[in-house]
Amino acid sequence: MIEIENVRKSFGPLEVLKGVSLAVQKGEVLSIIGGSGSGKSTLLMCINGLEPIQGGRILVDGTDVHAPGTDLNRLRRRIGIVFQQWNAFPHLTVLENVMLAPRKVLGKGRREAEEIAAKNLRHVGLGEKLSVYPSKLSGGQQQRMAIARALAMSPDYMLFDEVTSALDPQLVGEVLDTLRMLSDEGMTMILVTHEIRFARDVSDRVAFFHKGVIHEIGPAREVIGNPQMPETIDFLKSVL
Amino acid sequence: MFNYTFHWRPAFNALPRMFEGALVSLQIAVLSLVIGTAIAVVLALGRRSDNRLFYGFATGWVELARNTPALFQVYMTYFGLGSLGIHLDSYASLLVGISFNNAGYLAESFRGGLNAIPETQTRAARSLGMGATQAFRLVVLPQMFRIVFYPLTNQMVWALLMTSLGVTVGLNTDLTGVTQELNVRTFRTFEYFLFAAVIYYLMAKFITLSARLLAWRLFRY
Ligand SMILES: Nc1ncnc2c1ncn2[C@@H]1O[C@H](COP(=O)(O)OP(=O)(O)O)[C@@H](O)[C@H]1O
Ligand SMILES: [Mg+2]
């Protein structure tokens, strides 16, 4: 379970998260929607400790992410994150991209890491591309590779930050299909997305982020089909 | 000049000794490049560091290495360190001097190379659970070496040519040292130095060509 309690986060004088509270249960899929600059990416990076916070706390299965003694490298093994820009490691083949962390972080042997990587790449439909360099892949394929790279660590949680936003429209579908598959398999996910219909169909709950706080949260169909707050209504009008 | 008669035979007879000298030169160049590269990585990090002491140290090194004559740098490691009570032999002081020079020049290339790699690469690596050092070594550094590969090759050639400064600190086993000794004994100056120049030229070409082959093997992406 991920518990976010009254989290505050600033970049210099700019307060980006102004007291965010949220709990995500094991097996749940939560989508976060909201205008750009509202702090969605920042929240995800606070969850796995890539960004420090100035107030509140975040617990992942009871571990306080921002406590001084927390081993973040160890914690991050359990939390996969995929970014809008897929960040393939260009100097490694697709297989090597996915093997790297199992080998160097989990200490698996070459053979085992290869098997893990190949299995996860087949799972996202890249079984034919193992020995290719990322530069030879389309954006959608690179993004699926990034998903496989995170999955190869067998994380308990997956965070997705607008993973389809940088893709050409015709490539969005294949990545959304991969996300849907993960959700069907019971993966616990927090999904920042602009794909409102997809969010409605695939998530259990939707949170609307506005000016650094969660402005409205509830079951996906209700928040998207029947929003209560005027800001949510305005936002949905602008994107649907 | 015009009443100089060429005598090639002694020069040909001396070739095996000159080749041995060439190997010593090549050895110093390779070692100095390896040492210089390792130090340059640290200096490049220093040049990007917020720690003022680390930044100042790296900047001082780079400034000295790039803005003073290489001859002076080799002299300083021999006579300069000697007057401080640190006595290096000719070979060691030449190696240290050239490594110092290599590190200074390479540090600036490396800094540029590091700046060209997006911060998001490190972030992606860290989010997979890699520590800062692991992310640097496994993700950033290999990409940097591709970017700086040609400056690195140039520095290798430059290092080889700089080994000829060894003669000024009494080195007599490298190519220039051997040639100089032959010259002093026989005064066949032109023949010996022509041969030496050809050997330097061929070694430099060999380095450039093998670097090109290596790049082709290494950087498939
Ligand atoms: N590293 C940073 N330094 C300074 N400001 C930042 C940084 N990252 C994000 N911000 C600012 O924080 C705000 C929220 O950004 P972000 O979390 O990326 O929003 P979203 O993902 O909802 O579009 C924006 O105003 C952005 O400019
Ligand atoms: Mg964002």
Side-chain angles (χ1 to χ4, degrees), chain B residues 24-34 36 70 74 94-95 97-99 101-103 106 151-166 174 200 207:
Chain B
V24 173
S25 297
L26 197 61
Q27 184 186 49
I28 297 175
V30 170
L31 284 176
S32 76
L33 195 77
V34 172
V74 172
L94 181 64
L95 180 60
I98 299 177
S99 301
N101 185 279
N102 285 346
L106 291 174
L152 198 62
T153 310
N154 287 342
Q155 192 66 32
M156 173 74 193
V157 171
W158 185 228
L160 174 72
L161 302 183
M162 275 193 289
T163 59
S164 64
L165 296 172
D174 74 313
Y200 276 117
I207 290 167

mmCIF file of all heavy atoms in Angstrom, chain B residues 24-34 36 70 74 94-95 97-99 101-103 106 151-166 174 200 207:
data_model
loop_
_atom_site.group_PDB
_atom_site.id
_atom_site.type_symbol
_atom_site.label_atom_id
_atom_site.label_comp_id
_atom_site.label_asym_id
_atom_site.label_seq_id
_atom_site.Cartn_x
_atom_site.Cartn_y
_atom_site.Cartn_z
ATOM 1 N N VAL B 24 59.109 1.467 -26.530
ATOM 2 C CA VAL B 24 59.119 2.192 -25.239
ATOM 3 C C VAL B 24 58.263 3.452 -25.351
ATOM 4 O O VAL B 24 57.449 3.755 -24.472
ATOM 5 C CB VAL B 24 60.564 2.534 -24.823
ATOM 6 C CG1 VAL B 24 60.574 3.429 -23.585
ATOM 7 C CG2 VAL B 24 61.356 1.260 -24.567
ATOM 8 N N SER B 25 58.419 4.186 -26.467
ATOM 9 C CA SER B 25 57.607 5.394 -26.673
ATOM 10 C C SER B 25 56.123 5.059 -26.653
ATOM 11 O O SER B 25 55.318 5.739 -26.010
ATOM 12 C CB SER B 25 57.944 6.045 -28.015
ATOM 13 O OG SER B 25 59.293 6.456 -28.017
ATOM 14 N N LEU B 26 55.780 3.981 -27.379
ATOM 15 C CA LEU B 26 54.379 3.586 -27.465
ATOM 16 C C LEU B 26 53.843 3.192 -26.087
ATOM 17 O O LEU B 26 52.721 3.548 -25.705
ATOM 18 C CB LEU B 26 54.237 2.419 -28.445
ATOM 19 C CG LEU B 26 52.837 2.134 -28.954
ATOM 20 C CD1 LEU B 26 52.288 3.329 -29.717
ATOM 21 C CD2 LEU B 26 52.840 0.894 -29.854
ATOM 22 N N GLN B 27 54.696 2.492 -25.350
ATOM 23 C CA GLN B 27 54.292 2.066 -24.012
ATOM 24 C C GLN B 27 53.995 3.277 -23.111
ATOM 25 O O GLN B 27 52.964 3.314 -22.427
ATOM 26 C CB GLN B 27 55.412 1.224 -23.400
ATOM 27 C CG GLN B 27 55.070 0.635 -22.050
ATOM 28 C CD GLN B 27 56.281 -0.069 -21.454
ATOM 29 O OE1 GLN B 27 57.380 0.484 -21.415
ATOM 30 N NE2 GLN B 27 56.074 -1.288 -20.999
ATOM 31 N N ILE B 28 54.880 4.261 -23.161
ATOM 32 C CA ILE B 28 54.656 5.461 -22.339
ATOM 33 C C ILE B 28 53.364 6.162 -22.783
ATOM 34 O O ILE B 28 52.565 6.599 -21.961
ATOM 35 C CB ILE B 28 55.852 6.426 -22.437
ATOM 36 C CG1 ILE B 28 57.109 5.751 -21.878
ATOM 37 C CG2 ILE B 28 55.571 7.720 -21.675
ATOM 38 C CD1 ILE B 28 58.380 6.573 -22.046
ATOM 39 N N ALA B 29 53.164 6.223 -24.097
ATOM 40 C CA ALA B 29 51.959 6.900 -24.600
ATOM 41 C C ALA B 29 50.695 6.191 -24.115
ATOM 42 O O ALA B 29 49.756 6.831 -23.650
ATOM 43 C CB ALA B 29 51.998 6.952 -26.124
ATOM 44 N N VAL B 30 50.688 4.853 -24.219
ATOM 45 C CA VAL B 30 49.498 4.094 -23.814
ATOM 46 C C VAL B 30 49.251 4.254 -22.315
ATOM 47 O O VAL B 30 48.140 4.579 -21.882
ATOM 48 C CB VAL B 30 49.650 2.602 -24.177
ATOM 49 C CG1 VAL B 30 48.541 1.775 -23.537
ATOM 50 C CG2 VAL B 30 49.635 2.419 -25.686
ATOM 51 N N LEU B 31 50.319 4.062 -21.531
ATOM 52 C CA LEU B 31 50.156 4.191 -20.078
ATOM 53 C C LEU B 31 49.676 5.590 -19.699
ATOM 54 O O LEU B 31 48.784 5.757 -18.877
ATOM 55 C CB LEU B 31 51.491 3.903 -19.368
ATOM 56 C CG LEU B 31 51.887 2.432 -19.279
ATOM 57 C CD1 LEU B 31 53.276 2.297 -18.651
ATOM 58 C CD2 LEU B 31 50.855 1.664 -18.457
ATOM 59 N N SER B 32 50.265 6.602 -20.332
ATOM 60 C CA SER B 32 49.900 7.973 -19.971
ATOM 61 C C SER B 32 48.461 8.267 -20.382
ATOM 62 O O SER B 32 47.788 9.065 -19.744
ATOM 63 C CB SER B 32 50.848 8.973 -20.632
ATOM 64 O OG SER B 32 50.540 9.118 -22.005
ATOM 65 N N LEU B 33 48.001 7.602 -21.443
ATOM 66 C CA LEU B 33 46.618 7.827 -21.849
ATOM 67 C C LEU B 33 45.655 7.164 -20.864
ATOM 68 O O LEU B 33 44.631 7.744 -20.497
ATOM 69 C CB LEU B 33 46.353 7.304 -23.264
ATOM 70 C CG LEU B 33 45.045 7.853 -23.828
ATOM 71 C CD1 LEU B 33 45.209 9.294 -24.299
ATOM 72 C CD2 LEU B 33 44.492 6.984 -24.926
ATOM 73 N N VAL B 34 46.004 5.965 -20.428
ATOM 74 C CA VAL B 34 45.151 5.269 -19.460
ATOM 75 C C VAL B 34 45.081 6.067 -18.150
ATOM 76 O O VAL B 34 44.001 6.356 -17.632
ATOM 77 C CB VAL B 34 45.676 3.839 -19.203
ATOM 78 C CG1 VAL B 34 44.923 3.185 -18.054
ATOM 79 C CG2 VAL B 34 45.559 3.002 -20.469
ATOM 80 N N GLY B 36 45.885 9.241 -17.715
ATOM 81 C CA GLY B 36 45.268 10.540 -17.991
ATOM 82 C C GLY B 36 43.752 10.442 -18.095
ATOM 83 O O GLY B 36 43.033 11.310 -17.599
ATOM 84 N N ALA B 70 54.162 21.763 -22.781
ATOM 85 C CA ALA B 70 54.308 20.388 -22.322
ATOM 86 C C ALA B 70 55.734 20.147 -21.824
ATOM 87 O O ALA B 70 55.953 19.429 -20.843
ATOM 88 C CB ALA B 70 53.961 19.417 -23.456
ATOM 89 N N VAL B 74 56.863 18.471 -18.217
ATOM 90 C CA VAL B 74 57.764 17.330 -18.016
ATOM 91 C C VAL B 74 58.959 17.745 -17.143
ATOM 92 O O VAL B 74 59.351 17.032 -16.220
ATOM 93 C CB VAL B 74 58.245 16.789 -19.380
ATOM 94 C CG1 VAL B 74 59.325 15.732 -19.190
ATOM 95 C CG2 VAL B 74 57.069 16.211 -20.163
ATOM 96 N N LEU B 94 58.676 11.474 -17.201
ATOM 97 C CA LEU B 94 58.043 11.689 -18.501
ATOM 98 C C LEU B 94 56.607 11.172 -18.469
ATOM 99 O O LEU B 94 55.670 11.854 -18.911
ATOM 100 C CB LEU B 94 58.832 10.978 -19.611
ATOM 101 C CG LEU B 94 58.249 11.169 -21.007
ATOM 102 C CD1 LEU B 94 58.302 12.631 -21.450
ATOM 103 C CD2 LEU B 94 58.965 10.285 -22.037
ATOM 104 N N LEU B 95 56.437 9.971 -17.911
ATOM 105 C CA LEU B 95 55.096 9.390 -17.825
ATOM 106 C C LEU B 95 54.168 10.293 -17.019
ATOM 107 O O LEU B 95 53.036 10.576 -17.439
ATOM 108 C CB LEU B 95 55.186 7.991 -17.188
ATOM 109 C CG LEU B 95 53.863 7.245 -17.018
ATOM 110 C CD1 LEU B 95 53.187 7.030 -18.360
ATOM 111 C CD2 LEU B 95 54.109 5.896 -16.340
ATOM 112 N N GLY B 97 54.511 13.520 -16.384
ATOM 113 C CA GLY B 97 54.307 14.791 -17.083
ATOM 114 C C GLY B 97 53.276 14.678 -18.192
ATOM 115 O O GLY B 97 52.374 15.513 -18.304
ATOM 116 N N ILE B 98 53.380 13.629 -19.004
ATOM 117 C CA ILE B 98 52.427 13.480 -20.114
ATOM 118 C C ILE B 98 51.039 13.124 -19.582
ATOM 119 O O ILE B 98 50.030 13.604 -20.093
ATOM 120 C CB ILE B 98 52.927 12.430 -21.123
ATOM 121 C CG1 ILE B 98 54.267 12.870 -21.701
ATOM 122 C CG2 ILE B 98 51.923 12.266 -22.258
ATOM 123 C CD1 ILE B 98 54.866 11.858 -22.644
ATOM 124 N N SER B 99 50.989 12.305 -18.537
ATOM 125 C CA SER B 99 49.687 11.971 -17.950
ATOM 126 C C SER B 99 49.002 13.237 -17.445
ATOM 127 O O SER B 99 47.797 13.418 -17.608
ATOM 128 C CB SER B 99 49.853 10.991 -16.787
ATOM 129 O OG SER B 99 50.480 9.814 -17.228
ATOM 130 N N ASN B 101 49.408 16.260 -18.573
ATOM 131 C CA ASN B 101 48.940 16.989 -19.745
ATOM 132 C C ASN B 101 47.675 16.336 -20.340
ATOM 133 O O ASN B 101 46.672 17.008 -20.594
ATOM 134 C CB ASN B 101 50.069 17.023 -20.781
ATOM 135 C CG ASN B 101 49.722 17.863 -21.990
ATOM 136 O OD1 ASN B 101 49.026 17.412 -22.883
ATOM 137 N ND2 ASN B 101 50.180 19.116 -22.007
ATOM 138 N N ASN B 102 47.721 15.024 -20.516
ATOM 139 C CA ASN B 102 46.562 14.302 -21.049
ATOM 140 C C ASN B 102 45.325 14.566 -20.202
ATOM 141 O O ASN B 102 44.244 14.857 -20.727
ATOM 142 C CB ASN B 102 46.822 12.792 -21.036
ATOM 143 C CG ASN B 102 47.769 12.363 -22.140
ATOM 144 O OD1 ASN B 102 48.037 13.112 -23.077
ATOM 145 N ND2 ASN B 102 48.291 11.154 -22.022
ATOM 146 N N ALA B 103 45.479 14.439 -18.888
ATOM 147 C CA ALA B 103 44.336 14.596 -17.985
ATOM 148 C C ALA B 103 43.703 15.970 -18.148
ATOM 149 O O ALA B 103 42.484 16.103 -18.214
ATOM 150 C CB ALA B 103 44.767 14.370 -16.541
ATOM 151 N N LEU B 106 41.963 16.130 -21.667
ATOM 152 C CA LEU B 106 40.817 15.229 -21.753
ATOM 153 C C LEU B 106 39.688 15.672 -20.827
ATOM 154 O O LEU B 106 38.515 15.510 -21.156
ATOM 155 C CB LEU B 106 41.247 13.796 -21.415
ATOM 156 C CG LEU B 106 42.156 13.146 -22.466
ATOM 157 C CD1 LEU B 106 42.648 11.787 -21.978
ATOM 158 C CD2 LEU B 106 41.440 13.010 -23.804
ATOM 159 N N PRO B 151 38.344 13.036 -29.844
ATOM 160 C CA PRO B 151 39.324 13.792 -29.043
ATOM 161 C C PRO B 151 40.288 12.871 -28.289
ATOM 162 O O PRO B 151 41.481 13.178 -28.171
ATOM 163 C CB PRO B 151 38.462 14.582 -28.042
ATOM 164 C CG PRO B 151 37.101 14.601 -28.603
ATOM 165 C CD PRO B 151 36.972 13.505 -29.584
ATOM 166 N N LEU B 152 39.780 11.741 -27.839
ATOM 167 C CA LEU B 152 40.619 10.792 -27.113
ATOM 168 C C LEU B 152 41.700 10.216 -28.040
ATOM 169 O O LEU B 152 42.866 10.077 -27.659
ATOM 170 C CB LEU B 152 39.729 9.675 -26.565
ATOM 171 C CG LEU B 152 40.244 8.786 -25.455
ATOM 172 C CD1 LEU B 152 40.546 9.588 -24.207
ATOM 173 C CD2 LEU B 152 39.205 7.717 -25.127
ATOM 174 N N THR B 153 41.315 9.893 -29.266
ATOM 175 C CA THR B 153 42.273 9.392 -30.248
ATOM 176 C C THR B 153 43.342 10.440 -30.539
ATOM 177 O O THR B 153 44.535 10.134 -30.580
ATOM 178 C CB THR B 153 41.544 9.035 -31.560
ATOM 179 O OG1 THR B 153 40.436 8.205 -31.252
ATOM 180 C CG2 THR B 153 42.466 8.320 -32.510
ATOM 181 N N ASN B 154 42.906 11.685 -30.724
ATOM 182 C CA ASN B 154 43.869 12.758 -30.976
ATOM 183 C C ASN B 154 44.862 12.880 -29.837
ATOM 184 O O ASN B 154 46.059 13.083 -30.058
ATOM 185 C CB ASN B 154 43.144 14.107 -31.109
ATOM 186 C CG ASN B 154 42.409 14.197 -32.417
ATOM 187 O OD1 ASN B 154 42.687 13.441 -33.340
ATOM 188 N ND2 ASN B 154 41.451 15.105 -32.486
ATOM 189 N N GLN B 155 44.339 12.774 -28.615
ATOM 190 C CA GLN B 155 45.203 12.919 -27.450
ATOM 191 C C GLN B 155 46.229 11.796 -27.399
ATOM 192 O O GLN B 155 47.364 11.996 -27.003
ATOM 193 C CB GLN B 155 44.362 12.949 -26.165
ATOM 194 C CG GLN B 155 45.137 13.373 -24.930
ATOM 195 C CD GLN B 155 45.600 14.822 -24.989
ATOM 196 O OE1 GLN B 155 44.929 15.672 -25.568
ATOM 197 N NE2 GLN B 155 46.760 15.104 -24.415
ATOM 198 N N MET B 156 45.815 10.609 -27.847
ATOM 199 C CA MET B 156 46.725 9.465 -27.876
ATOM 200 C C MET B 156 47.889 9.739 -28.840
ATOM 201 O O MET B 156 49.053 9.485 -28.528
ATOM 202 C CB MET B 156 45.944 8.214 -28.300
ATOM 203 C CG MET B 156 46.778 6.995 -28.537
ATOM 204 S SD MET B 156 47.377 6.257 -27.000
ATOM 205 C CE MET B 156 48.602 5.143 -27.670
ATOM 206 N N VAL B 157 47.580 10.279 -30.002
ATOM 207 C CA VAL B 157 48.631 10.624 -30.967
ATOM 208 C C VAL B 157 49.530 11.707 -30.382
ATOM 209 O O VAL B 157 50.763 11.618 -30.422
ATOM 210 C CB VAL B 157 48.008 11.108 -32.301
ATOM 211 C CG1 VAL B 157 49.087 11.668 -33.228
ATOM 212 C CG2 VAL B 157 47.255 9.977 -32.978
ATOM 213 N N TRP B 158 48.900 12.698 -29.802
ATOM 214 C CA TRP B 158 49.628 13.801 -29.193
ATOM 215 C C TRP B 158 50.549 13.291 -28.081
ATOM 216 O O TRP B 158 51.700 13.711 -27.961
ATOM 217 C CB TRP B 158 48.609 14.819 -28.686
ATOM 218 C CG TRP B 158 49.165 16.086 -28.133
ATOM 219 C CD1 TRP B 158 48.816 16.660 -26.949
ATOM 220 C CD2 TRP B 158 50.144 16.951 -28.723
ATOM 221 N NE1 TRP B 158 49.523 17.812 -26.758
ATOM 222 C CE2 TRP B 158 50.343 18.016 -27.838
ATOM 223 C CE3 TRP B 158 50.883 16.911 -29.917
ATOM 224 C CZ2 TRP B 158 51.255 19.047 -28.091
ATOM 225 C CZ3 TRP B 158 51.786 17.931 -30.172
ATOM 226 C CH2 TRP B 158 51.965 18.972 -29.278
ATOM 227 N N ALA B 159 50.041 12.337 -27.290
ATOM 228 C CA ALA B 159 50.839 11.759 -26.199
ATOM 229 C C ALA B 159 52.063 11.056 -26.761
ATOM 230 O O ALA B 159 53.177 11.187 -26.240
ATOM 231 C CB ALA B 159 49.993 10.796 -25.374
ATOM 232 N N LEU B 160 51.869 10.323 -27.859
ATOM 233 C CA LEU B 160 52.997 9.626 -28.476
ATOM 234 C C LEU B 160 54.070 10.625 -28.907
ATOM 235 O O LEU B 160 55.260 10.431 -28.653
ATOM 236 C CB LEU B 160 52.509 8.823 -29.691
ATOM 237 C CG LEU B 160 53.640 8.178 -30.492
ATOM 238 C CD1 LEU B 160 54.233 7.003 -29.722
ATOM 239 C CD2 LEU B 160 53.163 7.732 -31.867
ATOM 240 N N LEU B 161 53.628 11.707 -29.525
ATOM 241 C CA LEU B 161 54.602 12.689 -29.999
ATOM 242 C C LEU B 161 55.275 13.405 -28.825
ATOM 243 O O LEU B 161 56.454 13.755 -28.883
ATOM 244 C CB LEU B 161 53.927 13.692 -30.947
ATOM 245 C CG LEU B 161 53.266 13.040 -32.180
ATOM 246 C CD1 LEU B 161 52.689 14.098 -33.103
ATOM 247 C CD2 LEU B 161 54.260 12.156 -32.935
ATOM 248 N N MET B 162 54.517 13.604 -27.749
ATOM 249 C CA MET B 162 55.095 14.249 -26.565
ATOM 250 C C MET B 162 56.172 13.394 -25.899
ATOM 251 O O MET B 162 57.024 13.933 -25.189
ATOM 252 C CB MET B 162 54.000 14.559 -25.535
ATOM 253 C CG MET B 162 53.272 15.884 -25.775
ATOM 254 S SD MET B 162 52.270 16.364 -24.336
ATOM 255 C CE MET B 162 50.961 15.171 -24.387
ATOM 256 N N THR B 163 56.130 12.074 -26.117
ATOM 257 C CA THR B 163 57.155 11.242 -25.466
ATOM 258 C C THR B 163 58.553 11.654 -25.920
ATOM 259 O O THR B 163 59.529 11.392 -25.228
ATOM 260 C CB THR B 163 56.976 9.742 -25.780
ATOM 261 O OG1 THR B 163 57.046 9.547 -27.197
ATOM 262 C CG2 THR B 163 55.658 9.218 -25.237
ATOM 263 N N SER B 164 58.649 12.328 -27.073
ATOM 264 C CA SER B 164 59.972 12.747 -27.552
ATOM 265 C C SER B 164 60.597 13.777 -26.615
ATOM 266 O O SER B 164 61.796 14.054 -26.705
ATOM 267 C CB SER B 164 59.860 13.315 -28.968
ATOM 268 O OG SER B 164 59.072 14.476 -28.948
ATOM 269 N N LEU B 165 59.798 14.343 -25.700
ATOM 270 C CA LEU B 165 60.355 15.284 -24.719
ATOM 271 C C LEU B 165 61.208 14.583 -23.674
ATOM 272 O O LEU B 165 61.923 15.242 -22.908
ATOM 273 C CB LEU B 165 59.221 16.044 -24.013
ATOM 274 C CG LEU B 165 58.363 16.951 -24.910
ATOM 275 C CD1 LEU B 165 57.181 17.482 -24.112
ATOM 276 C CD2 LEU B 165 59.197 18.093 -25.460
ATOM 277 N N GLY B 166 61.140 13.250 -23.643
ATOM 278 C CA GLY B 166 61.894 12.500 -22.637
ATOM 279 C C GLY B 166 63.386 12.793 -22.696
ATOM 280 O O GLY B 166 64.074 12.774 -21.671
ATOM 281 N N ASP B 174 63.699 5.569 -25.128
ATOM 282 C CA ASP B 174 62.585 5.745 -26.069
ATOM 283 C C ASP B 174 63.144 6.059 -27.457
ATOM 284 O O ASP B 174 64.361 6.173 -27.633
ATOM 285 C CB ASP B 174 61.665 6.871 -25.592
ATOM 286 C CG ASP B 174 62.308 8.231 -25.811
ATOM 287 O OD1 ASP B 174 63.496 8.363 -25.444
ATOM 288 O OD2 ASP B 174 61.654 9.127 -26.371
ATOM 289 N N TYR B 200 57.748 7.478 -36.111
ATOM 290 C CA TYR B 200 56.693 8.214 -35.389
ATOM 291 C C TYR B 200 55.447 8.336 -36.252
ATOM 292 O O TYR B 200 54.325 8.118 -35.801
ATOM 293 C CB TYR B 200 57.166 9.623 -35.000
ATOM 294 C CG TYR B 200 57.962 9.673 -33.720
ATOM 295 C CD1 TYR B 200 59.295 10.073 -33.712
ATOM 296 C CD2 TYR B 200 57.370 9.349 -32.491
ATOM 297 C CE1 TYR B 200 60.025 10.135 -32.536
ATOM 298 C CE2 TYR B 200 58.093 9.407 -31.310
ATOM 299 C CZ TYR B 200 59.427 9.799 -31.338
ATOM 300 O OH TYR B 200 60.140 9.856 -30.177
ATOM 301 N N ILE B 207 47.851 4.248 -34.790
ATOM 302 C CA ILE B 207 46.917 4.586 -33.699
ATOM 303 C C ILE B 207 45.592 5.070 -34.276
ATOM 304 O O ILE B 207 44.516 4.602 -33.888
ATOM 305 C CB ILE B 207 47.524 5.677 -32.786
ATOM 306 C CG1 ILE B 207 48.682 5.093 -31.982
ATOM 307 C CG2 ILE B 207 46.458 6.251 -31.856
ATOM 308 C CD1 ILE B 207 49.532 6.147 -31.306
#
